[in-house]
């Protein structure tokens, strides 16, 4: 019969003998090959009191629990070797026996720390709770918290039941390489390099928080992982003029009229989708023809965004025709937006409204990268990378002439 390690008794029996002596019995299988380590080679130990015997028995049990029988047997066999032979084996590496022992002790400590570290799912709960408190105190944007919450779900699915200190750099790299994102209802495609970078950045934040809060892990496994960006990914997709016309035409239908300001602002001002969702009528300055993005609304920096004449016309038309409607609906917004794109009749390109604004702005020669930098809240370097090719003046004129009903 094979006895599993888990079945072995790891706490020595205590036997009371004459004259108040208590004997620790070390004849069990768990102690057979580690006697030198736990008792100096003796098969039993005697103590003048029961308390002293129980203390030693507990120490032996803890030792086995922390390091395991196999590791202690390895150490035991090493200690039985001739010191001269040990020195000879270490000589090619220029190390002494003491240095080898110190190295192994440090290794055991690290292994112990890994096994004793909290599991990922519990730490994620605590991390997210702290982020939620910051959101409620208005020191963290709601959109940022929602992104963290969403990304944490992927980390939990991958490593939820693992001790946080046990996760390796290689595991993270392999996970990133196989990560997929959901497109549509049931379609999954490999994540883009940008998407991988975002997942890695948030995961790194989590490990930094763990180390700051609990001093684990010893090293951030994300620290030296590099995501190679696709150098050919500079060009962006934008809506053709007939697609932009169709977006606004569908926006004035009864079913989707509440989405009209959202589509008009995103398409004709370049404001980010998430930024637009936070706007109210108080953010629209119709006297100065500007959209006012405060720090709490903007992703990068607060700014006043220029509104072109056709955007001003769309917003005035909507406010006059539907004065009871908010600028951006709060209830059912995401579901309505999904239904809109499902009915549009063409493939909706990611960030298509923002890309269309920048492309047709440059195509119409309304300004250069400096103006776009202010309006879009992006760096000039990023704009020059993505918007080197833009539409001709004729198509651009058509785009900027998309007007509300008369």
């Amino acid at each position: 019969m094979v006895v599993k390690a888990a079945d072995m008794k790891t706490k020595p029996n205590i036997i009371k003998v004459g004259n108040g002596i208590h004997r620790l019995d070390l004849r069990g299988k768990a102690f057979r090959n580690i006697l030198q380590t736990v008792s100096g080679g003796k098969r039993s130990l005697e103590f003048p009191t029961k308390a002293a015997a129980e203390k030693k028995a507990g120490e032996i049990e803890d030792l086995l629990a922390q390091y395991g029988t196999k590791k202690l047997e390895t150490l035991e066999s090493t200690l039985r070797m001739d010191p001269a032979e040990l020195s000879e084996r270490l000589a090619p590496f220029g190390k002494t026996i003491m240095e080898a022992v110190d190295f192994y002790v440090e290794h055991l400590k690290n292994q112990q720390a890994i096994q004793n570290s909290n599991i990922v799912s519990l730490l994620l709960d605590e991390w997210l709770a702290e982020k939620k408190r910051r959101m409620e105190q208005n020191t963290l944007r709601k959109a940022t918290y929602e992104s963290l919450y969403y990304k944490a779900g992927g980390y939990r699915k991958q490593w939820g039941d693992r001790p946080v200190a046990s996760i390796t750099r290689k595991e993270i790299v392999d996970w990133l390489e196989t990560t997929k994102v959901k497109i549509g209802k049931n379609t999954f495609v490999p994540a883009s390099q940008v998407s991988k970078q975002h997942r890695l950045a948030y995961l790194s934040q989590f490990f930094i928080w763990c180390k700051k809060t609990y001093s684990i892990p010893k090293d951030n496994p994300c620290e030296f992982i590099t995501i190679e960006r696709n150098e050919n990914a500079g060009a962006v997709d934008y809506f053709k003029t007939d697609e932009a016309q169709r977006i606004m035409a569908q926006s004035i239908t009864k079913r989707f009229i509440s989405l009209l300001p959202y589509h008009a602002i995103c398409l004709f001002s370049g404001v980010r989708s998430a930024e637009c969702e936070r706007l109210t009528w108080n953010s629209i300055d119709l006297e100065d023809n500007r959209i006012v993005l405060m720090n709490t609304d903007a992703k990068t920096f607060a700014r006043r965004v220029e509104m072109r004449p056709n955007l001003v016309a769309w917003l005035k038309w909507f406010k006059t025709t539907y004065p009871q409607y908010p600028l951006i609906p709060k209830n059912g917004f995401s579901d309505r937006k999904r239904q809109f794109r499902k009915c549009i009749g063409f493939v909706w390109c990611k960030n298509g409204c923002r890309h269309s604004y920048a492309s047709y702005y440059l195509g119409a020669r309304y300004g250069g990268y400096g103006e776009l930098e202010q309006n879009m809240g992006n760096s000039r370097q990023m704009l020059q990378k993505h918007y080197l090719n833009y539409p001709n003046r004729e198509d651009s004129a058509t785009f900027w002439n998309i007007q509300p009903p008369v």
Side-chain angles (χ1 to χ4, degrees), residues 26-27 31-44 76 80:
L26 296 170
R27 293 175 295 175
F31 320 111
R32 183 179 299 164
N33 297 319
I34 59 170
L35 289 175
Q36 191 64 41
T37 303
V38 300
S39 64
K42 299 178 181 178
R43 295 171 65 86
S44 64
E76 183 96 352
R80 286 198 295 267

Side-chain angles (χ1 to χ4, degrees), residues 4-280:
K4 296 181 180 179
D7 298 330
M8 291 185 183
K9 184 175 176 60
T10 57
K11 185 173 184 178
N13 288 325
I14 300 174
I15 303 171
K16 185 177 181 180
V17 296
N19 300 323
I21 299 297
H22 289 77
R23 180 178 296 158
L24 216 58
D25 185 3
L26 296 170
R27 293 175 295 175
K29 292 183 179 180
F31 320 111
R32 183 179 299 164
N33 297 319
I34 59 170
L35 289 175
Q36 191 64 41
T37 303
V38 300
S39 64
K42 299 178 181 178
R43 295 171 65 86
S44 64
L45 294 173
E46 293 185 351
F47 297 88
T49 64
K50 183 179 180 181
E54 287 180 340
K55 181 180 178 183
K56 182 62 177 179
E59 289 175 355
I60 293 174
E61 184 180 33
D62 290 343
L63 191 68
L64 284 165
Q66 288 177 10
Y67 301 114
T69 305
K70 291 291 184 183
K71 289 179 181 176
L72 292 174
E73 287 177 352
T74 301
L75 178 62
E76 183 96 352
S77 62
T78 302
L79 292 173
R80 286 198 295 267
M81 295 178 67
D82 180 55
E85 183 182 348
L86 292 175
S87 297
E88 184 179 346
R89 291 176 62 179
L90 290 168
F93 306 99
K95 300 296 181 182
T96 65
I97 294 176
M98 185 56 69
E99 287 174 322
V101 170
D102 289 341
F103 177 83
Y104 189 61
V105 168
E106 186 65 25
H107 167 73
L108 292 175
K109 286 180 180 178
N110 289 337
Q111 292 299 307
Q112 182 181 353
I114 288 173
Q115 295 305 317
N116 290 342
S117 63
N118 286 340
I119 63 172
V120 170
S121 62
L122 295 178
L123 291 170
L124 281 172
D125 288 341
E126 190 174 341
W127 182 56
L128 289 172
E130 181 179 303
K131 299 297 183 184
K132 187 175 183 180
R133 284 194 296 272
R134 287 188 54 198
M135 179 188 70
E136 292 168 347
Q137 295 166 359
N138 293 322
T139 59
L140 183 74
R141 293 189 184 94
K142 181 180 178 182
T144 302
Y145 171 75
E146 289 173 347
S147 294
L148 291 171
Y149 187 88
Y150 170 75
K151 296 292 189 302
Y155 309 148
R156 195 188 304 275
K157 183 178 179 181
Q158 186 69 20
W159 299 294
D161 59 350
R162 290 271 301 279
V164 69
S166 71
I167 300 170
T168 65
R169 185 177 293 114
K170 184 180 183 305
E171 285 181 283
I172 296 171
V173 171
D174 291 343
W175 171 70
L176 288 169
E177 288 303 313
T178 56
T179 295
K180 292 187 176 183
V181 294
K182 189 175 183 180
I183 302 294
K185 196 170 184 179
N186 297 306
T187 304
F188 292 85
V189 298
S192 67
Q193 297 300 88
V194 173
S195 180
K196 291 177 185 177
Q197 181 62 53
H198 289 164
R199 282 168 166 75
L200 178 63
Y202 287 136
L203 183 59
S204 183
Q205 285 183 34
F206 170 65
F207 282 118
I208 291 170
W209 175 86
C210 289
K211 185 170 184 179
K212 182 179 178 181
T213 309
Y214 292 107
S215 301
I216 52 169
K218 183 179 179 181
D219 298 305
N220 181 355
C222 298
E223 188 173 358
F224 297 107
I225 298 176
T226 302
I227 305 295
E228 297 294 336
R229 300 293 288 269
N230 185 353
E231 295 300 325
N232 298 320
V236 297
D237 293 327
Y238 56 86
F239 294 122
K240 298 173 185 175
T241 53
D242 64 314
E243 292 173 336
Q245 289 170 335
R246 200 179 309 175
I247 290 171
M248 297 313 298
Q250 185 166 293
S251 295
I252 62 174
T253 62
K254 183 178 180 180
R255 182 181 179 185
F256 296 115
I257 189 64
S258 63
L259 296 179
L260 187 145
Y262 169 78
H263 287 128
I265 292 170
C266 291
L267 196 58
F268 299 124
S269 78
V271 169
R272 294 177 178 88
S273 176
E275 293 175 331
C276 186
E277 291 176 24
R278 293 190 281 269
L279 298 178
T280 66

Side-chain angles (χ1 to χ4, degrees), residues 202-404:
Y202 287 136
L203 183 59
S204 183
Q205 285 183 34
F206 170 65
F207 282 118
I208 291 170
W209 175 86
C210 289
K211 185 170 184 179
K212 182 179 178 181
T213 309
Y214 292 107
S215 301
I216 52 169
K218 183 179 179 181
D219 298 305
N220 181 355
C222 298
E223 188 173 358
F224 297 107
I225 298 176
T226 302
I227 305 295
E228 297 294 336
R229 300 293 288 269
N230 185 353
E231 295 300 325
N232 298 320
V236 297
D237 293 327
Y238 56 86
F239 294 122
K240 298 173 185 175
T241 53
D242 64 314
E243 292 173 336
Q245 289 170 335
R246 200 179 309 175
I247 290 171
M248 297 313 298
Q250 185 166 293
S251 295
I252 62 174
T253 62
K254 183 178 180 180
R255 182 181 179 185
F256 296 115
I257 189 64
S258 63
L259 296 179
L260 187 145
Y262 169 78
H263 287 128
I265 292 170
C266 291
L267 196 58
F268 299 124
S269 78
V271 169
R272 294 177 178 88
S273 176
E275 293 175 331
C276 186
E277 291 176 24
R278 293 190 281 269
L279 298 178
T280 66
W281 281 116
N282 291 332
S283 310
I284 307 300
D285 185 348
L286 289 172
E287 290 185 6
D288 194 34
N289 293 341
R290 294 288 188 274
I291 298 171
V292 183
L293 280 165
M294 307 301 289
N295 278 322
T296 52
D297 302 324
K299 177 182 178 181
T300 49
F301 52 83
R303 59 193 191 277
R304 292 177 67 86
V305 179
E306 171 196 28
M307 290 196 292
R308 300 300 306 169
N310 70 328
L311 174 56
V312 175
W314 277 107
L315 293 181
K316 285 184 175 179
W317 177 86
F318 181 82
K319 193 170 186 179
T320 301
T321 311
Y322 299 94
Q324 74 278 19
Y325 278 37
L327 183 71
I328 307 296
K330 301 302 180 186
N331 297 327
F333 175 76
S334 297
D335 183 61
R336 215 168 307 168
K337 191 168 63 170
R338 280 194 294 270
Q339 291 299 320
F340 183 94
R341 296 179 183 184
K342 187 177 180 180
C343 297
I344 197 63
F346 56 82
V347 177
W348 191 279
C349 51
K350 187 177 181 180
N351 295 321
C353 289
R354 183 171 165 84
H355 295 330
S356 299
Y357 164 78
S359 299
Y360 289 113
Y361 186 92
L362 293 170
R365 313 301 195 270
Y366 286 146
Y369 296 111
E371 289 79 6
L372 281 183
E373 184 177 10
Q374 168 61 28
N375 288 339
M376 299 180 72
N378 243 338
S379 69
R380 187 172 304 206
Q381 180 183 6
M382 186 64 70
L383 293 169
Q384 289 174 330
K385 176 181 178 181
H386 290 302
Y387 301 106
L388 280 176
N389 298 315
Y390 40 80
N392 58 40
R393 290 192 178 186
E394 182 180 355
D395 287 341
S396 299
T398 300
F399 175 84
W400 291 110
N401 197 40
I402 299 174
Q403 298 284 347

